[in-house]
Structure formats: structure tokens, C-alpha cells
Amino acid sequence: MRIIPALPVLTLALAPFLTRCTNAASHEKTPISPKSSPAAAKKTNPKPDTLAVEPQTTHIASGYFNSQVSRVVCYSYLDIEDYEEDTLTRAPMFQMMPGFSRYLWKYDPHPKVVLTKKQTRKLLAIISSPKTYKPLQSTCRSPRNCFCFYNKKKEIIGYYEVSFESGRLIAVPGFPGSESGTFTATGLKKLRSFCRSAGITTR
């Protein structure tokens, strides 16, 4: 994994992002052909969309998490196998945390959704319920959605990655039952329904 100078704590905090069925190292950089010209490389590896960039300071919460959340942003993005297999669906890259960038889908009308306070309460109620999860361990994930949680200081205090295709998740910090990394059928259905009602693209 690429080391980010002066940010060792952040690098450690982002380690779960790199747990995938695919090669973790391939997530850390945009694939560019060795023979690409500078112009082609620039086009293939665009700068992060400044309109989608959120505050970059990360301070993972401890204690009662829900009371510390003041803002939630959901992103829906491509995973590594998507843009390796079909580059035509690839839209500009955006960055939501230092060293963690993803491509958007060209046909996604809402790649970034900021939740209202009411939606935030509903989301937290779903993911905080032990009934949302089942005790089945799995590290095979291919997430397309990520909820980033911010406190009043605009620090990232947690994130929640979801793979609706496989029913897997990564929660940092964890919630009761989320350590299994697997949704129940009911939990996944509730979360998918919530996302759709909030205008969040799910796959």
C-alpha cells in the first residue's frame, strides 16, 4: 500500500478500504498505458473533481458515534474491475479522502448526495441496528457506495462502504453486529430502499 508522508495514522485508518477480492495495490493508482503521451496520460488520469472534494482531515471517532455525526455524504463510484473492463462507462475521477480516489459512472445522475438531518437519523437507525447484520464472516467485497461521516469540525470521523451486489460492508468505526461484514436480507433491503428514497444510486 502506498505510504502517505506525514499521515501514518490516516494510512492505517484507510487500510480497510484496500481489502477487496481484487488486487489492493491496483486501487491506489489510476491505470495508465506505459506508452501514453503526456496529453493522453492527463486525459486518462484527470485531477480530482474539485466540486466533489470534501474536507480531508480524518479523525476516526471513539465513544458514542451517532451523537458526533453532523453531516453525511454518500458517494457512488466505480471499483477497479469496472473501469478495467469497460472504460467507456468511466467518468472523471473524484477524491473523497487523501489517497482514496474513485471514478464516477457517466450515467449516474447523483454520484454525490448530501443527506438531510432527517435522512441522517434514518440511516444511523438502520446501520446501528444489530438486526441489519448476520454472523457470516467474509472479506470478499466490491463496494460501489460509501457514506462518509463528518463532525462539526468537518473531520471525517467514520465511513461505511456498501456492496449491494454481494451484501457486504465495511464499517469504521463498527456498529453492533457489523464486524461480520455481512448484511441480513432484511437489512440490505432496508438500506437499499433508504438509498433509493434519498436519490442514491445502488447497484
Coordinates of all heavy atoms in Angstrom, one line a residue, residues 131-134 164 166-168 182-193:
K131 N -30.0 -6.1 14.0 CA -30.8 -6.9 13.1 C -30.4 -6.7 11.6 O -30.8 -7.4 10.7 CB -32.3 -6.6 13.3 CG -32.8 -7.0 14.6 CD -34.3 -6.7 14.8 CE -34.8 -7.1 16.1 NZ -36.3 -6.8 16.3
T132 N -29.6 -5.6 11.4 CA -29.2 -5.3 10.0 C -28.1 -6.3 9.5 O -27.9 -6.5 8.3 CB -28.6 -3.9 9.9 OG1 -29.7 -3.0 10.2 CG2 -28.1 -3.5 8.5
Y133 N -27.5 -7.0 10.5 CA -26.3 -7.8 10.2 C -26.5 -9.3 10.5 O -27.4 -9.6 11.4 CB -25.1 -7.3 10.9 CG -24.9 -5.8 10.7 CD1 -25.2 -5.0 11.8 CD2 -24.4 -5.3 9.5 CE1 -25.1 -3.6 11.6 CE2 -24.3 -3.9 9.4 CZ -24.6 -3.0 10.4 OH -24.5 -1.7 10.3
K134 N -25.7 -10.2 9.9 CA -25.8 -11.6 10.3 C -24.3 -12.1 10.5 O -23.4 -11.5 9.9 CB -26.5 -12.4 9.2 CG -25.8 -12.4 7.8 CD -26.7 -13.2 6.9 CE -26.1 -13.2 5.4 NZ -26.9 -13.9 4.5
F164 N -23.9 -3.6 -2.6 CA -25.3 -4.1 -2.7 C -25.3 -5.4 -3.5 O -26.2 -6.2 -3.4 CB -26.2 -3.0 -3.3 CG -26.5 -1.9 -2.4 CD1 -25.9 -0.7 -2.4 CD2 -27.5 -2.1 -1.4 CE1 -26.2 0.3 -1.6 CE2 -27.9 -1.1 -0.5 CZ -27.2 0.1 -0.6
S166 N -23.1 -7.9 -3.4 CA -22.7 -9.1 -2.6 C -23.2 -9.1 -1.1 O -23.1 -10.0 -0.4 CB -21.2 -9.2 -2.5 OG -20.6 -8.1 -1.8
G167 N -23.8 -8.0 -0.7 CA -24.4 -7.9 0.6 C -23.3 -7.7 1.7 O -23.5 -8.1 2.8
R168 N -22.2 -7.2 1.3 CA -21.0 -7.0 2.2 C -20.9 -5.5 2.6 O -21.3 -4.6 1.9 CB -19.7 -7.5 1.6 CG -19.8 -9.0 1.1 CD -20.0 -9.9 2.3 NE -19.9 -11.3 1.8 CZ -20.9 -12.1 1.7 NH1 -22.1 -11.7 2.0 NH2 -20.7 -13.4 1.2
T182 N -21.4 -8.5 6.9 CA -22.4 -9.1 6.1 C -23.8 -8.6 6.5 O -24.1 -8.6 7.7 CB -22.4 -10.6 6.1 OG1 -21.0 -11.1 5.9 CG2 -23.3 -11.2 5.1
F183 N -24.6 -8.2 5.5 CA -26.0 -7.8 5.8 C -26.9 -9.0 5.9 O -26.7 -10.0 5.2 CB -26.5 -6.9 4.7 CG -25.9 -5.5 4.7 CD1 -24.9 -5.2 3.7 CD2 -26.3 -4.5 5.6 CE1 -24.4 -4.0 3.7 CE2 -25.8 -3.3 5.5 CZ -24.8 -3.0 4.6
T184 N -28.0 -8.9 6.6 CA -29.1 -9.8 6.5 C -29.9 -9.4 5.3 O -29.7 -8.2 4.8 CB -30.1 -9.7 7.7 OG1 -30.6 -8.4 7.8 CG2 -29.3 -10.1 9.0
A185 N -30.8 -10.2 4.8 CA -31.6 -9.9 3.6 C -32.4 -8.7 3.9 O -32.6 -7.7 3.1 CB -32.4 -11.1 3.2
T186 N -33.0 -8.6 5.1 CA -33.9 -7.5 5.6 C -33.0 -6.2 5.7 O -33.5 -5.2 5.3 CB -34.5 -7.8 6.9 OG1 -35.3 -9.0 6.7 CG2 -35.5 -6.7 7.3
G187 N -31.9 -6.3 6.3 CA -31.0 -5.2 6.5 C -30.6 -4.6 5.2 O -30.6 -3.3 5.0
L188 N -30.2 -5.4 4.2 CA -29.8 -4.9 2.9 C -31.0 -4.3 2.2 O -30.9 -3.2 1.5 CB -29.3 -6.1 2.1 CG -28.6 -5.7 0.7 CD1 -27.3 -4.8 1.0 CD2 -28.2 -6.9 0.0
K189 N -32.2 -4.9 2.3 CA -33.4 -4.3 1.7 C -33.7 -3.0 2.2 O -34.1 -2.0 1.5 CB -34.5 -5.3 1.9 CG -35.8 -4.9 1.2 CD -36.9 -5.9 1.4 CE -38.2 -5.5 0.7 NZ -39.3 -6.5 0.9
K190 N -33.6 -2.8 3.5 CA -33.9 -1.5 4.2 C -32.9 -0.4 3.7 O -33.3 0.7 3.4 CB -33.9 -1.7 5.7 CG -35.1 -2.3 6.3 CD -35.0 -2.3 7.8 CE -36.3 -3.0 8.4 NZ -36.2 -2.9 9.9
L191 N -31.7 -0.8 3.7 CA -30.7 0.2 3.3 C -30.8 0.6 1.8 O -30.7 1.7 1.4 CB -29.3 -0.4 3.5 CG -28.1 0.6 3.3 CD1 -28.3 1.8 4.2 CD2 -26.8 0.0 3.6
R192 N -31.1 -0.4 1.0 CA -31.3 -0.1 -0.5 C -32.5 0.8 -0.7 O -32.5 1.7 -1.4 CB -31.5 -1.4 -1.3 CG -31.5 -1.2 -2.8 CD -32.0 -2.5 -3.5 NE -31.0 -3.5 -3.3 CZ -30.0 -3.7 -4.1 NH1 -29.7 -2.9 -5.1 NH2 -29.1 -4.7 -3.9
S193 N -33.6 0.5 0.1 CA -34.8 1.3 0.0 C -34.5 2.7 0.4 O -35.0 3.7 -0.2 CB -35.9 0.7 0.8 OG -37.1 1.5 0.8

